Amino acid sequence: MANDEVEAQSEQAETVGTITGQVALPAEIPDWFRGGELSLEKAMVVVEGMYRGPRLKRPENYREMSNEERKAWFAEFEKTDAYDEYQRKKREAYESRPVWTFPVAADGRFVVKGLELGRYNVIPVIPHLAAKGKEVASQSWGSAFKQIVLSEERQSIRVGKMELKLQNVVMPGDVAPSWTAKRYDGGEIKSTDFLGRYLVVDFWATWCGPCIAEIPNLAKVYEEFGGDQLEIIGLSVDSSIDLPSRFLQKRPVPYPHGYLGAWHDTETTTQDFGVQSVPSIWLIGPDGRVLARDLTGEKIGNAVRAALEKTAAKK
């Protein structure tokens, strides 16, 4: 939504708020950073409005349950259609959240006007050239974050200087970073093992409810398209290899898996791919270039289908 539209809408409210601040570049650029020379000329400020997801319907005696009983209940709940519906509504609520972008001056200063009173996320960024849509904050070479509340008592808030934290970001068209994972039956599995085929990569963890919810979607895609042209690999970022190993023994899946390493100990996700949260599902082409990222639900199968059809049309 354009900034003038935000102001036009907000003028109809009884009271409106203002946010001011300044974006700052980090003093040093780490060796692992691949974003090139940074400039505030490419910066912008993303403002996200709050969203309300669905309420999780718990048992009436939930407060009286022990921690073990609660974990057992949730484990059973994850196997139900109601859980899938809960995750779908949660994802829809997040995707429909209001998001606006505002310019930054040459010295990094910014002013956001015309916002209705309420809670907001303020996220200065330097986006990748291919970044677009509401996910621009996660598709940026650098970002900062602050949550603020505009109220009748504080209609104007100064967030001060916000220094960008750098991250690598990989977008469609970029060459996917290489990785090496441990097999659960011993040995290693590498990204180079899949060159020449389409590959769906799923970064996931057993502690991540939305990750578990995507497993049936990935299994469906594998059963429909898996073979000589397409492979799917699940890469766990659990704290130890035992956690996903036990999970997969109890809940077998048709596509292969590997253990990448603990979430904060592996550079593959946090540095190379720039993954900020899981699940993170990617489609990579036979040439090793990223075709799609941030895939969920039906989008996984749709992306794979489109890629395979495009290949078939060239033959």
Side-chain angles (χ1 to χ4, degrees):
M1 184 179 292
N3 297 346
D4 56 352
E5 292 178 332
V6 176
E7 295 189 30
Q9 285 187 356
S10 298
E11 286 172 358
Q12 300 175 11
E14 293 184 0
T15 51
V16 294
T18 301
I19 306 169
T20 59
Q22 186 174 15
V23 183
L25 297 175
E28 297 183 2
I29 307 298
D31 293 337
W32 51 260
F33 184 66
R34 300 195 303 267
E37 185 175 348
L38 296 177
S39 170
L40 289 176
E41 295 179 357
K42 301 176 182 178
M44 65 174 66
V45 174
V46 178
V47 176
E48 295 184 340
M50 294 295 99
Y51 67 96
R52 179 172 293 181
R55 291 188 63 182
L56 180 60
K57 189 175 181 180
R58 297 183 173 92
E60 293 183 1
N61 64 334
Y62 187 80
R63 291 186 177 181
E64 288 73 40
M65 288 182 173
S66 66
N67 288 335
E68 291 302 319
E69 289 173 332
R70 290 179 179 181
K71 290 179 180 179
W73 169 79
F74 195 78
E76 290 301 315
F77 177 61
E78 287 179 327
K79 302 175 184 178
T80 66
D81 293 338
Y83 175 78
D84 294 339
E85 180 68 7
Y86 168 75
Q87 291 295 341
R88 183 186 66 78
K89 290 182 177 180
K90 186 176 179 181
R91 184 166 56 243
E92 288 179 351
Y94 176 76
E95 292 175 348
S96 63
R97 73 196 187 284
V99 177
W100 305 280
T101 59
F102 296 85
V104 171
D107 64 355
R109 298 181 187 275
F110 62 87
V111 179
V112 176
K113 296 181 178 180
L115 293 172
E116 296 183 14
L117 303 185
R119 189 182 300 271
Y120 295 92
N121 295 330
V122 182
I123 314 172
V125 299
I126 295 182
H128 188 290
L129 289 176
K132 59 182 179 180
K134 293 184 177 182
E135 304 308 316
V136 64
S138 64
Q139 300 172 0
S140 298
W141 294 108
S143 66
F145 177 90
K146 186 165 290 187
Q147 189 173 94
I148 60 96
V149 178
L150 294 170
S151 64
E152 292 185 1
E153 293 75 22
R154 296 189 66 192
Q155 297 182 24
S156 179
I157 291 181
R158 184 183 300 275
V159 296
K161 186 172 291 187
M162 300 182 70
E163 182 174 306
L164 300 180
K165 181 180 179 180
L166 301 185
Q167 63 185 25
N168 285 323
V169 57
V170 182
M171 294 293 291
D174 294 339
V175 175
S178 59
W179 49 264
T180 300
K182 295 180 180 179
R183 291 183 178 273
Y184 294 108
D185 57 357
E188 293 182 336
I189 186 169
K190 300 180 180 180
S191 55
T192 52
D193 297 337
F194 303 100
L195 288 177
R197 287 187 287 173
Y198 289 97
L199 176 66
V200 174
V201 178
D202 172 33
F203 297 106
W204 74 291
T206 59
W207 45 259
C208 166
C211 296
I212 308 304
E214 292 297 346
I215 289 178
N217 298 323
L218 290 161
K220 182 179 179 180
V221 171
Y222 186 80
E223 290 167 358
E224 184 174 357
F225 300 108
D228 294 337
Q229 285 189 293
L230 174 77
E231 184 61 274
I232 296 178
I233 180 72
L235 296 177
S236 163
V237 291
D238 280 284
S239 58
S240 75
I241 193 172
D242 294 336
L243 294 172
S245 179
R246 288 197 299 265
F247 178 91
L248 294 169
Q249 288 175 6
K250 295 179 180 179
R251 188 172 175 174
V253 295
Y255 53 91
H257 278 255
Y259 177 65
L260 194 59
W263 171 250
H264 292 293
D265 293 340
T266 174
E267 296 180 353
T268 299
T269 51
T270 55
Q271 284 190 11
D272 296 345
F273 276 85
V275 173
Q276 298 179 33
S277 63
V278 290
S280 182
I281 302 175
W282 303 63
L283 175 61
I284 299 171
D287 60 355
R289 291 186 178 275
V290 175
L291 298 178
R293 50 168 288 172
D294 304 321
L295 296 172
T296 58
E298 295 181 355
K299 295 179 182 179
I300 307 170
N302 292 340
V304 169
R305 185 177 296 104
L308 293 177
E309 289 177 352
K310 187 175 182 179
T311 298
K314 293 180 180 180
K315 293 182 179 180

